Amino acid sequence: MANFKKVSVETGARVELHDLLSLTGAEISVNSLPAGAGVPFVHSHKQNEEIYGVLAGRGRAVIDGETVELSAGDWVRVSPAAKRQFSAAADSGISFICVQVRENSLEGYTMDDAVVEEQG
């Protein structure tokens, strides 16, 4: 297991995977808000963009004053400087994943970064 790490997490309001998985290039959190609840603060970042994926339920994000309706299957990328706040719908909870990475740091992806091994 030197080259990988697996963990199982319980569903909760927020679980950060940075320490649990010993992440070195990203922060990932799994978040759940009950119906009518919201993150109690507006925030932005200095360097990191965030990618949000809605896993279940419905809610909204207010990003730089614009309301963005969210439902299961939606993905949103937010620039570091954007001011954001998330909340669940009045009649539905929302569960989402947030991936935080340094903006403009991706040098290669998918097959550009892959080393394909011979199968034998």
Side-chain angles (χ1 to χ4, degrees), residues 39-99:
V39 175
F41 55 86
V42 175
H43 78 285
S44 62
H45 286 276
K46 297 174 186 171
Q47 301 178 56
N48 295 339
E49 65 187 10
E50 290 182 320
I51 302 94
Y52 293 89
V54 181
L55 304 174
R58 293 182 298 105
R60 70 193 53 79
V62 177
I63 305 169
D64 287 340
E66 182 177 340
T67 299
V68 179
E69 296 296 329
L70 300 169
S71 60
D74 288 345
W75 288 85
V76 179
R77 181 223 176 241
V78 183
S79 296
K83 293 176 174 48
R84 70 211 71 173
Q85 186 175 29
F86 287 77
S87 60
D91 61 347
S92 172
I94 188 170
S95 295
F96 59 94
I97 186 170
C98 177
V99 179

Side-chain angles (χ1 to χ4, degrees), residues 5-41:
K5 188 171 185 178
K6 176 188 172 190
V7 298
S8 294
V9 296
E10 304 244 347
T11 302
R14 180 174 171 88
V15 177
E16 293 183 355
L17 299 179
H18 181 266
D19 290 339
L20 294 173
L21 289 173
S22 304
L23 300 176
T24 63
E27 170 62 287
I28 302 172
S29 64
V30 182
N31 305 269
S32 293
L33 296 169
V39 175
F41 55 86

Side-chain angles (χ1 to χ4, degrees), residues 91-114:
D91 61 347
S92 172
I94 188 170
S95 295
F96 59 94
I97 186 170
C98 177
V99 179
Q100 188 180 128
V101 295
R102 186 172 183 158
E103 186 177 44
N104 298 314
S105 65
L106 189 62
E107 294 179 6
Y109 58 95
T110 312
M111 291 307 292
D112 291 339
D113 188 57

